[in-house]
């Protein structure tokens, strides 16, 4: 009994260590010119479509230093955003990262609605200096494969240079035991070999046919995506006289893809084969030769048949891009934030009509539509809840807008990227600078897309809010 109790305690202890992770420290130092800075730090959850998990969101006013810590279970990429600038870092648990944020070039114009990449100075106090090693590898690649020297290079010469690069990496990084960096340079170099169609079978046996693939490593996923890019189409063309486009578009059945992949030496692993299906279907959804409804059906079949929970989750993310809202469907709930960083959810207004405005703050036409809403806020404000959601904005921009538009009495909000919740842009498939949605008091879609304020939405409201006709009794008095 004591041994069993000790064993249970030991398992729980290990679970707390490996599941909860270890503390990770950040110090962000901004130039003195930053009087206001909206700071966000998010972790990238790798997959066919990478997701962001928010670690920190803060606003610095007349401060140029921010210290914080989070708990991270594994090594991976994170994105640090300061206003409209973003930097991608590779971080690991038990590390301390001091980020010296660069001063923007005063000669360049930086749009507030565009994310501009930056490369800050970084001081890494971690078990492995990942960012230094990754930059060192990239510099090594540029040096070995410099095409500006020696004039024209044929394919054979480039292959020899890649082989030289491989041997140099083995020698240069032989004392680096960190698995994350080892996978990085291995698969980045393998991708260079694949780009030249060089030793395909050898690449498979060395980098794909191994016992356990790291499906959460960005370099591994990038290599797999390129390696199997058009593989299904090529196999179908080689094995069958039936066009893959007709096979998918006319009778979407996952069994048809399984028949194409049957006995294929490069698709024998079930998890790998299903991942290749999912990645391929995601790319087919952008191909005009394929019917999106058929691709959507194949993805649903893949999700239901897969036994891998991570693949099921990835399928769910990909499928969410295909969903089209119809009148009567439940309006997807979402959470946004006002200029005071207070969370507001669509479900808070259940029981009332809600008119959603998704717009770009820099859209002149969109702001003109909001001016029209101002005229109606007293007429319809007690019967219809207005809710405006700014796209590609942040707390700092929203605060400035609210100070300029102080006469707006309905909530104007922004989307917090990487807060762990599905984005309204994803849920409502927002692909333009303006989209309007009308939600009924039961929380269902009534009009999607709904007319803009200047395009007749008032007439829709008048019809909805028109009182019922009273019947008169007509007779002899």
């Amino acid at each position: 009994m004591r041994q069993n109790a000790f064993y249970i305690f030991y398992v729980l202890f290990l679970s707390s260590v490996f599941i909860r992770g270890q503390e990770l420290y950040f110090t962000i130092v901004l130039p003195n010119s930053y009087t206001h800075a909206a700071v966000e730090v998010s972790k990238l959850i790798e997959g066919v479509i990478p997701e962001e998990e928010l670690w920190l969101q803060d606003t610095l006013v007349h401060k140029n230093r921010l210290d914080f810590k989070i708990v991270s279970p594994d090594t991976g990429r994170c994105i640090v955003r300061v206003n409209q600038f973003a930097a991608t870092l590779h971080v690991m648990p038990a590390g301390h990262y001091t980020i010296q944020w660069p001063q923007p070039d005063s000669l360049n114009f930086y749009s507030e609605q565009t994310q501009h990449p930056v490369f800050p100075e970084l001081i890494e106090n971690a078990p492995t200096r990942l960012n230094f090693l990754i930059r060192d590898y990239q510099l090594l690649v540029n040096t070995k494969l410099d095409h500006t020297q020696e004039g024209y290079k044929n394919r054979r010469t480039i292959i020899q240079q890649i082989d030289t690069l491989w041997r140099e990496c083995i020698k240069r990084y032989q004392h680096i035991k960190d698995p994350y960096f080892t996978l990085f340079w291995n698969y980045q170099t393998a991708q260079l070999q694949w780009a030249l169609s060089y030793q395909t079978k050898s690449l498979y046996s060395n980098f794909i046919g191994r016992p356990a693939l790291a499906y959460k490593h960005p370099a591994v996923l990038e290599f797999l995506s390129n390696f199997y890019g058009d593989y299904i189409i090529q196999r179908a063309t080689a094995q069958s006289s039936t066009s893959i486009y007709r096979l998918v578009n006319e009778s979407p059945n996952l069994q048809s893809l399984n028949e194409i992949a049957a006995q294929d030496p490069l698709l024998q692993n079930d998890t790998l084969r299903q991942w290749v299906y999912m990645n391929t279907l995601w790319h087919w959804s952008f191909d005009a030769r394929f019917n999106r409804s058929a691709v959507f059906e194949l993805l649903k079949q893949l999700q239901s048949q897969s036994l891998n929970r991570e693949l099921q989750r990835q399928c769910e993310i990909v499928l969410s891009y295909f969903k089209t809202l119809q009148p009567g469907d439940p309006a997807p709930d979402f959470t946004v934030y006002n200029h005071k960083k207070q969370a507001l959810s669509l479900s808070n207004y259940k029981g009332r009509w809600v008119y959603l405005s998704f717009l770009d703050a820099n859209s002149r036409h969109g702001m003109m539509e909001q001016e029209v809403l101002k005229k109606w806020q007293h007429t319809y404000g007690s019967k219809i809840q207005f809710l405006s959601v700014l796209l590609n904005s942040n707390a700092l921009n929203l605060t400035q807008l609210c100070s300029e538009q102080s006469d707006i009495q309905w909530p104007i909000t922004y989307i917090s990227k990487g807060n762990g919740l599905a984005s309204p842009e994803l849920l409502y498939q927002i692909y333009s600078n303006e989209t309007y949605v009308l939600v009924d008091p039961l929380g269902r879609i009534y009009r999607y897309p709904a007319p803009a304020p200047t395009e007749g939405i008032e007439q829709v409201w008048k019809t909805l809010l028109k009182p019922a006709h009273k019947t008169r009794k007509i007779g002899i008095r």
Side-chain angles (χ1 to χ4, degrees):
M1 181 66 70
R2 290 183 178 178
Q3 290 181 345
N4 291 339
F6 175 78
Y7 175 75
I8 294 173
F9 171 78
Y10 183 69
V11 170
L12 291 175
F13 171 76
L14 290 179
S15 300
S16 64
V17 171
F18 290 103
I19 294 178
R20 292 180 58 192
Q22 302 179 51
E23 291 181 339
L24 174 63
Y25 296 87
F26 283 90
T27 298
I28 301 176
V29 182
L30 305 177
N32 293 329
S33 59
Y34 278 79
T35 56
H36 290 77
V39 180
E40 284 188 358
V41 182
S42 302
K43 176 186 178 182
L44 274 180
I45 302 176
E46 306 293 347
V48 172
I49 306 176
E51 292 183 289
E52 290 188 30
E53 175 185 321
L54 184 65
W55 275 349
L56 172 88
Q57 185 178 53
D58 200 354
T59 301
L60 301 183
V61 180
H62 299 292
K63 291 173 58 180
N64 67 341
R65 182 185 176 98
L66 177 63
D67 296 276
F68 65 96
K69 65 179 179 180
I70 54 94
V71 175
S72 175
D74 52 17
T75 302
R77 294 188 296 171
C78 80
I79 298 179
V80 181
R81 293 186 178 91
V82 178
N83 295 343
Q84 69 269 40
F85 301 96
T88 301
L89 306 176
H90 301 261
V91 297
M92 63 191 311
H96 189 166
Y97 298 86
T98 302
I99 304 168
Q100 299 281 350
W101 203 255
Q103 174 70 46
D105 189 345
S106 59
L107 300 179
N108 291 334
F109 171 75
Y110 298 101
S111 170
E112 293 185 358
Q113 302 305 319
T114 303
Q115 181 174 287
H116 303 276
V118 295
F119 304 94
E121 294 184 13
L122 184 66
I123 301 175
E124 294 182 89
N125 184 8
T128 303
R129 298 174 63 191
L130 284 176
N131 296 277
F132 170 81
L133 290 171
I134 288 172
R135 292 177 184 177
D136 179 77
Y137 169 79
Q138 293 169 343
L139 181 62
L140 183 63
V141 171
N142 294 336
T143 302
K144 295 295 182 182
L145 303 180
D146 186 3
H147 296 283
T148 61
Q149 300 177 0
E150 303 176 8
Y152 172 77
K153 296 181 181 179
N154 58 30
R155 178 174 176 271
R156 182 174 181 179
T157 302
I158 298 176
I159 289 176
Q160 291 175 348
Q161 290 179 330
I162 294 175
D163 289 340
T164 302
L165 171 67
W166 180 266
R167 291 191 294 269
E168 177 69 20
C169 287
I170 293 176
K171 180 180 178 180
R172 192 183 189 96
Y173 305 124
Q174 60 181 333
H175 300 298
I176 306 298
K177 304 302 181 183
D178 182 77
Y180 184 91
F181 176 70
T182 301
L183 286 173
F184 178 86
W185 76 259
N186 271 258
Y187 280 88
Q188 287 287 308
T189 309
Q191 192 164 183
L192 295 173
Q193 295 176 335
W194 170 88
L196 295 169
S197 301
Y198 174 48
Q199 296 182 350
T200 303
K201 292 183 179 179
S202 175
L203 288 175
Y204 174 83
S205 61
N206 291 329
F207 298 100
I208 301 177
R210 53 177 58 186
L213 272 175
Y215 287 100
K216 293 185 178 182
H217 195 290
V220 176
L221 293 178
E222 184 181 4
F223 174 75
L224 290 177
S225 180
N226 290 321
F227 188 90
Y228 288 104
D230 293 325
Y231 191 76
I232 298 296
I233 295 179
Q234 294 173 5
R235 295 300 299 172
T237 303
Q239 293 183 6
S240 174
S241 59
T242 303
S243 167
I244 183 65
Y245 310 109
R246 181 179 302 174
L247 193 69
V248 171
N249 295 335
E250 295 182 359
S251 56
N253 191 328
L254 196 62
Q255 183 59 32
S256 302
L257 294 182
N258 287 331
E259 292 173 0
I260 294 175
Q263 307 304 318
D264 189 291
L266 305 187
L267 290 173
Q268 289 304 296
N269 182 279
D270 291 341
T271 302
L272 174 64
R273 182 172 61 254
Q274 291 175 352
W275 188 93
V276 171
Y277 287 167
M278 179 174 56
N279 186 68
T280 302
L281 291 170
W282 167 243
H283 290 290
W284 284 357
S285 68
F286 299 97
D287 193 330
R289 297 171 293 182
F290 291 98
N291 186 324
R292 281 179 62 89
S293 299
V295 174
F296 177 77
E297 180 61 32
L298 287 171
L299 279 166
K300 288 200 301 183
Q301 295 177 24
L302 177 61
Q303 184 186 29
S304 63
Q305 295 180 22
S306 176
L307 300 178
N308 186 296
R309 181 66 191 96
E310 182 61 25
L311 281 174
Q312 291 176 353
R313 188 185 68 85
Q314 283 291 310
C315 278
E316 184 178 355
I317 295 171
V318 175
L319 283 169
S320 65
Y321 281 81
F322 289 80
K323 294 177 181 177
T324 302
L325 296 174
Q326 301 291 338
D329 290 347
D333 194 18
F334 59 85
T335 299
V336 287
Y337 299 84
N338 62 18
H339 66 287
K340 298 180 180 179
K341 295 187 179 180
Q342 295 172 332
L344 300 175
S345 298
L346 177 62
S347 56
N348 295 345
Y349 304 108
K350 195 169 184 179
R352 300 186 62 187
W353 289 94
V354 181
Y355 185 59
L356 295 173
S357 303
F358 296 98
L359 67 150
D360 193 319
N362 281 354
S363 170
R364 183 177 179 182
H365 184 268
M367 298 312 296
M368 288 173 59
E369 298 287 0
Q370 300 300 294
E371 291 292 331
V372 177
L373 282 183
K374 286 183 187 179
K375 303 176 183 178
W376 295 338
Q377 60 186 352
H378 296 295
T379 306
Y380 298 100
S382 61
K383 302 172 184 177
I384 298 176
Q385 175 65 54
F386 299 162
L387 179 60
S388 298
V389 181
L390 300 184
L391 309 174
N392 303 318
S393 187
N394 54 42
L396 187 61
N397 296 337
L398 181 58
T399 301
Q400 182 179 355
L401 177 64
C402 289
S403 63
E404 297 172 355
Q405 305 284 345
S406 58
D407 52 342
I408 293 181
Q409 298 179 4
W410 69 87
I412 300 183
T413 61
Y414 71 97
I415 302 169
S416 175
K417 297 180 180 179
N419 61 358
L421 303 175
S423 168
E425 297 168 290
L426 173 63
L427 296 173
Y428 287 83
Q429 298 180 321
I430 310 299
Y431 302 119
S432 62
N433 289 339
E434 289 179 58
T435 300
Y436 301 90
V437 184
L438 186 59
V439 180
D440 69 16
L442 297 178
R444 299 174 304 193
I445 298 292
Y446 185 81
R447 292 287 296 271
Y448 173 81
T454 59
E455 296 174 352
I457 188 61
E458 187 181 19
Q459 186 59 44
V460 177
W461 295 342
K462 288 180 178 180
T463 303
L464 293 174
L465 303 176
K466 189 176 181 180
H469 292 288
K470 295 182 180 180
T471 58
R472 291 185 178 181
K473 294 182 179 180
I474 302 177
I476 300 174
R477 295 185 178 179

